[in-house]
Amino acid sequence: TKGLGDKTWQAWSFLAYTAFELRKYDEALEAVTKALSYPESKKDGQLPGFKTAVERAIKDRADQIEAVKAKQKL
């Protein structure tokens, strides 16, 4: 909440990568979105692609849940 000057986006970015590794995809998406909201985040060319990867992981997780539910109905 205090802010880190021009490094705030880096803190959010770090949090996003860490949350992703812990498979906390919703938190990762929130953090990467916040990181991308800072103009300085344009220094990291991988961040937009990472956001796409997080969104894909969330979709894959939802698909897996649906598959399990469908299997249970059989």
Side-chain angles (χ1 to χ4, degrees):
T1 54
K2 289 184 179 182
L4 302 169
D6 65 344
K7 299 198 188 266
T8 303
W9 72 273
Q10 288 177 325
W12 283 113
S13 178
F14 177 74
L15 180 61
Y17 284 108
T18 302
F20 185 82
E21 287 295 320
L22 295 172
R23 295 187 176 140
K24 295 185 176 212
Y25 301 127
D26 298 320
E27 290 88 346
L29 181 59
E30 180 181 350
V32 74
T33 301
K34 286 184 181 181
L36 286 168
S37 72
Y38 291 88
E40 298 87 2
S41 70
K42 292 181 182 22
K43 297 175 185 176
D44 186 347
Q46 295 180 335
L47 211 50
F50 178 65
K51 182 178 181 185
T52 302
V54 172
E55 291 169 336
R56 190 174 306 128
I58 290 171
K59 184 183 178 317
D60 288 347
R61 179 183 64 190
D63 291 345
Q64 289 175 353
I65 290 170
E66 288 300 317
V68 168
K69 286 181 181 178
K71 226 180 218 188
Q72 288 175 346
K73 288 183 181 180
L74 295 175

